[in-house]
Amino acid sequence: MTTRPADVDLRRNARAAWAVFAVFAASGATFATWVSRLPAVRDGLDFTPGQMGVLLLTGAVGSVVALPLSGMITARLGAARAVTTFALVAVAGYALVCVGVGTGTALAVRVGLVVAGIGFGVWDAAMNVEGAVVEQRLGRSIMPRFHAGFSLGTVAGAGVGSLAAHAGVPFVWHVGVGVALTVTTALVCVRGFLPTPHAVRADVPEPDCADPAEAAPAHGLRATIAAWREPRTLLVGFVVLAAALTEGAANDWTALSLVDGFGAAESTGAFALALFLAAMTVTRLAGTRLVDRFGRVTVLRAGSVAALVGVAVFAFAPWLWLAVVGSVVWGASAALGFPLGMSAAADEPQHAAMRVAVVSTIGYAAFFVGPALIGLVADVVGFRHALVVIALPVVVGLALAGNARPLRAERTA
């Protein structure tokens, strides 16, 4: 029986969707493996809350440096090669972090986090670009499910981290082996990515394509600068900034907030983080139907309101169990902002890489400012109450959510 081209394309797109999902999951597991053991890092380096905030800031520096160039890198290398190259950079960074924590050398930890941040920045942008391409090929909203893969990876990473902390596994062995395994998974799965439609060369004109998903991507310094001049792209970036700060603050501070605020065990803090991430995962898996039914803007606004409620409950709850409930609401509310922002940035496939780079750069500014700010405030009022500062960007994201309305829907109208 002859295989029809349409069947081949269907299988290829389905395979690519699972590959992107797996790469997102590997990225999430890598990140959670590190953050789930932050109390051990704090103890190993004997850091104050403010010093921990500055330490987390150093990792964001690497990402913020790399992200503005990530669109150009991804357009030139292709998503698969970009993920492969910079996942290995992230591994090198975390290896140095392990050496630093094991020897009590704060400088080595900081340098390692900068290197890991560079790797994660380009890795993140490249997999989002590939996810946008697959979403366009499938013709339906699927980006939240890819980010559900990231959340699923973080749940697994945080869960293993909780068990490792409870069993007394040293930080160096847990993080070193865990990161090596998760990155190896990503390197294997990128083989399922869709083939790059066109080699990107400056001396070759872009061909005309009937299918926008097949169009050669915009590339180079001129395209990068042009993306930074687009008002809609910048405003979508601020929506993602609010979402990233809402999500990132929980990743960084949930475990420490419960350990220090309630005197809970380190394993309890890691377990609460796992519940937060589980709530994100479930919401992202269900998010495609919510978006298809209610639209991006309505879902983003509802998530912002729920985030304000969840953070308030977590920050002011008098009992540990209620704070954990607040973290679950917080996790569900933070689930869809980042993936919907990536989808909005990639509405036009030809410009997706550059716009995703812009939006990601603005979003990652949350990891640049948030940890240091919250750490400094925590020196005065404690970790839990310091988290209230994220209410302001959440309100800003609520006000700007209308800018994420799909471009194609507007043009059709």
Side-chain angles (χ1 to χ4, degrees), residues 45 47 55 58 96-97 100 103-114:
L45 299 177
F47 272 8
L55 180 68
T58 58
L96 188 55
V97 168
T103 60
T105 308
L107 178 60
V109 176
R110 291 190 176 98
V111 174
L113 287 177
V114 170

Side-chain angles (χ1 to χ4, degrees), residues 372-384:
L373 176 62
I374 293 174
L376 292 173
V377 175
D379 275 333
V380 180
V381 301
F383 284 116
R384 285 203 303 140

Side-chain angles (χ1 to χ4, degrees), residues 43 139 159 173-174 285 341 351 397:
D43 295 340
W173 285 104
H174 167 222
L285 288 172
H351 302 283

Side-chain angles (χ1 to χ4, degrees), residues 151-205:
S151 297
L152 188 62
T154 58
V155 170
V160 173
S162 176
L163 293 175
H166 182 72
V169 177
F171 172 90
V172 173
W173 285 104
H174 167 222
V175 174
V177 174
V179 167
L181 290 175
T182 54
V183 170
T184 299
T185 301
L187 299 182
V188 172
C189 291
V190 293
R191 298 177 181 179
F193 280 16
L194 293 171
T196 303
H198 305 285
V200 177
R201 290 177 50 191
D203 59 338
V204 177

Side-chain angles (χ1 to χ4, degrees), residues 140 168 235 261 311 319 343 347 360 404:
R140 57 190 174 88
L235 293 174
V311 171
W319 307 290
S343 289
D347 275 339
S360 296

Side-chain angles (χ1 to χ4, degrees), residues 33 104 237:
T33 297

